[in-house]
Amino acid sequence: MYEFGDVPADWQPGTRCCLECGNSEPLVSLIAVTNLSTSKQALACTRHAEQVAAALN
């Protein structure tokens, strides 16, 4: 089970990018992805949210 949410303001503000594609453009919307079973977290652009969630297994 995964949770998708807003990126916390203190989440490494200088190095935010999508785990899948590496996109860090200022206009890209990033979301926080959390694997509720393992508590692993990562950032993803909205296009790659499912791929990043699968990588958190």
Side-chain angles (χ1 to χ4, degrees), residues 5-37:
D6 294 331
V7 178
D10 63 344
W11 190 326
Q12 302 175 358
T15 58
R16 293 181 183 177
C17 68
C18 174
L19 180 68
E20 181 72 17
C21 67
N23 194 341
S24 62
E25 294 293 321
L27 297 178
V28 70
S29 295
L30 294 174
I31 58 174
V33 181
T34 304
N35 180 321
L36 298 176
S37 300

